[in-house]
C-alpha cells in the first residue's frame, strides 16, 4: 500500500512515520518538503507517487494566532485539504484520511459529541477546520475519511505536555484551567488509529477518535506532575492550582466541553482506545530523563 503522509514533521506526522506498518510504502513529507498549499507541488507528488492513501497530518494549529492570521489558517486548513482531495480524486481510487478537531463544536453539549451533531465552532481555528472537513467531503465524497480528535500531545515540541514539563522543571507553581473538559489524546495512539483507518478501505466518512476517559486541563496537569516525577523528568512533585477560564485570557475562546463519542469508530475500525492516563504514562516513559534537563 502506497501512503503519502503530509505534515510529517508535526506531532501526529512523526508518530505516523514511527508506527507505519511494514507493508506500507511510505512517502512522508514535512512542510519543508511539501507545502500543501502549493498546488503544483501537490499535484506533482500525487501524480508521480500514485498513493493509494494520503494521510494529511499537516495543519495550521496555532489556535490563538488564527484569530489574526485568518487567511493563513484557512489556506492551510481548508483550501489546501481541498487541493489534496482534488488530487486524490484525479488519481482515481485514492483515499484521503484527513484529521480534524473537537474545536468544530461549540462546547455547549453535556454529553459526548456524536458525528451527526451539528458543528458550531467558536474560534477561527475551529471554523477553518470545519471548512477543511467540508472541502474534503465535497471534493472526494466516499473516498474521504475525516477523523476528529482532541487535546493531542506527544513527546515532541509545542504542546500542553511540554509546556507543563517546562514550567514544572522551573519549580514554579502551575495554574491550570479546570473548567474545560475533554480527552487528552496521545499522538501515538491517534497515529495507530489512523493506520487502522488506512488498512480498512471500506471505512469512510466522519469519525471521532480520542483516548478514553475524561479530564479537565487541570486533571491532565496533575497527572503530568505525578507521573513526571515517577518517570524521572522532574525532581519533585509540583503544586498545580485549578483556575477558571476567565483567569487565563486567550485570544481565541475554547469550547468548555470537548468530549467526542468514539463508539461508532471503535466498531468501524476494530481498535479500542486506552485510557488517557495510560497513554500519558507511555509517552512520558518515551522521554529520556536527560532530555528533560
Ligand atoms: N494539537 C491538538 O491538540 C489537536 C487536536 C485535535 C486535532 N488536531 C489536528 O491534528 C492534526 C495534526 O496536528 P498536530 O497536533 O500534529 O499539529 P502540529 O504538531 O502543529 O503539526 C502540523 C504540521 O503541519 C505543518 N504545516 C503547517 N503548514 C503547512 C503547509 N502549508 N504545508 C505542509 N505542512 C504544513 C507544520 O509545520 P510547522 O511546524 O513548520 O508549521 C507541522 O509540522 C491537525 O489536523 C490538527 O488540526 C490537533
Amino acid at each position: 500500500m502506497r501512503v503519502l503522509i503530509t505534515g510529517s514533521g508535526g506531532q501526529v506526522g512523526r508518530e505516523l512515520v514511527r508506527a507505519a506498518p511494514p507493508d506500507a510504502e511510505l512517502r512522508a513529507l514535512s512542510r519543508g518538503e511539501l507545502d500543501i498549499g502549493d498546488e503544483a507541488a501537490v499535484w506533482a507528488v500525487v501524480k508521480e507517487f500514485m498513493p493509494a492513501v494520503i494521510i494529511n497530518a499537516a495543519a495550521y494549529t496555532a489556535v490563538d494566532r488564527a484569530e489574526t492570521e485568518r487567511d493563513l489558517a484557512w489556506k492551510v486548513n481548508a483550501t489546501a485539504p481541498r487541493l489534496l482531495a482534488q488530487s486524490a480524486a484525479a488519481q482515481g481510487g485514492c483515499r484521503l484520511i484527513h484529521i480534524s478537531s473537537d474545536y468544530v463544536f461549540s462546547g455547549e453539549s453535556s454529553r459526548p459529541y456524536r458525528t451527526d451533531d451539528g458543528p458550531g465552532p467558536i474560534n477561527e481555528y475551529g471554523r477553518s477546520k470545519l471548512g477543511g472537513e467540508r472541502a474534503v467531503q465535497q471534493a472526494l465524497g466516499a473516498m474521504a475519511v475525516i477523523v476528529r480528535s482532541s487535546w493531542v500531545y506527544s513527546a515532541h515540541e509545542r504542546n500542553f505536555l511540554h509546556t507543563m514539563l517546562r514550567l514544572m522543571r522551573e519549580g514554579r507553581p502551575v495554574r491550570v484551567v479546570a473548567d474545560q473538559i475533554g480527552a487528552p489524546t496521545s499522538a501515538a495512539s491517534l497515529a495507530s488509529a489512523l493506520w487502522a483507518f488506512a488498512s480498512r478501505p471500506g471505512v469512510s466518512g466522519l469519525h471521532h477518535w480520542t483516548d478514553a476517559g475524561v479530564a479537565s486541563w487541570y486533571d491532565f496537569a496533575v497527572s503530568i506532575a505525578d507521573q513526571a516525577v515517577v518517570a524521572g523528568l522532574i525532581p519533585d512533585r509540583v503544586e498545580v492550582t485549578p483556575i477558571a477560564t476567565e483567569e487565563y485570557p486567550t485570544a481565541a475562546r475554547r469550547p468548555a466541553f470537548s468530549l467526542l463519542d468514539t463508539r461508532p469508530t471503535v466498531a468501524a475500525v476494530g481498535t479500542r482506545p486506552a485510557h488517557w492516563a495510560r497513554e500519558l504514562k507511555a509517552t512520558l516513559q518515551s522521554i529520556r530523563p536527560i532530555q528533560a534537563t
Side-chain angles (χ1 to χ4, degrees):
M1 174 176 57
R2 280 195 190 163
V3 182
L4 172 64
I5 297 174
T6 57
S8 66
Q11 312 189 75
V12 177
R14 281 171 189 246
E15 295 300 331
L16 277 167
V17 173
R18 197 200 306 269
D23 66 334
E25 192 185 329
L26 271 199
R27 177 135 337 153
L29 302 175
S30 66
R31 178 188 187 161
E33 294 160 324
L34 177 66
D35 175 350
I36 61 165
D38 181 337
E39 187 166 354
V42 167
W43 281 87
V45 166
V46 172
K47 197 171 167 205
E48 184 260 319
F49 184 55
M50 294 194 295
V53 181
I54 301 171
I55 307 180
N56 179 29
Y60 178 102
T61 56
V63 175
D64 289 312
R65 279 215 314 271
E67 296 298 308
T68 47
E69 293 184 342
R70 183 183 182 280
D71 289 353
L72 183 57
W74 275 83
K75 182 176 180 205
V76 180
N77 291 345
T79 310
R82 179 192 300 280
L83 188 57
L84 287 170
Q86 287 168 338
S87 68
Q91 189 60 35
C94 176
R95 298 165 74 215
L96 171 62
I97 301 176
H98 176 72
I99 311 167
S100 191
S101 168
D102 54 324
Y103 280 20
V104 300
F105 291 115
S106 68
E108 284 160 13
S109 180
S110 51
R111 54 135 179 90
Y113 281 105
R114 298 193 297 246
T115 52
D116 59 358
D117 284 329
I122 58 171
N123 59 41
E124 206 53 46
Y125 167 76
R127 282 188 281 275
S128 71
K129 292 299 291 182
L130 181 61
E133 291 186 359
R134 290 178 171 160
V136 164
Q137 285 188 309
Q138 217 172 42
L140 199 54
M143 296 302 277
V145 184
I146 291 163
V147 183
R148 293 180 182 143
S149 193
S150 69
W151 295 23
V152 178
Y153 67 92
S154 76
H156 304 290
E157 74 273 30
R158 276 206 328 211
N159 59 54
F160 183 81
L161 170 61
H162 257 247
T163 305
M164 287 300 112
L165 287 177
R166 181 173 52 75
L167 292 174
M168 289 171 186
R169 280 199 303 270
E170 289 166 5
R172 290 195 277 143
V174 181
R175 301 164 75 242
V176 183
V177 169
D179 54 3
Q180 290 171 24
I181 305 297
T185 300
S186 90
S189 70
L190 176 56
S192 299
L194 293 168
W195 280 117
F197 280 100
S199 66
R200 285 167 178 75
V203 177
S204 73
L206 198 49
H207 291 271
H208 287 170
W209 176 274
T210 67
D211 286 338
V214 181
S216 66
W217 288 110
Y218 165 72
D219 296 326
F220 190 25
V222 169
S223 197
I224 292 169
D226 289 344
Q227 295 196 33
V229 175
V230 176
L233 301 176
I234 55 174
D236 301 303
R237 202 194 165 285
V238 172
E239 198 56 44
V240 182
T241 306
I243 60 168
T245 296
E246 300 81 67
E247 295 175 76
Y248 189 75
T250 51
R253 284 172 64 212
R254 263 75 171 168
F257 182 92
S258 272
L259 284 178
L260 303 177
D261 183 355
T262 59
R263 288 171 301 175
T265 299
V266 168
V269 296
T271 170
R272 185 173 292 283
H275 192 275
W276 64 263
R278 198 172 290 174
E279 292 294 337
L280 172 63
K281 187 174 176 189
T283 302
L284 290 173
Q285 283 172 343
S286 76
I287 304 174
R288 283 186 299 132
I290 196 158
Q291 282 178 268
T293 57

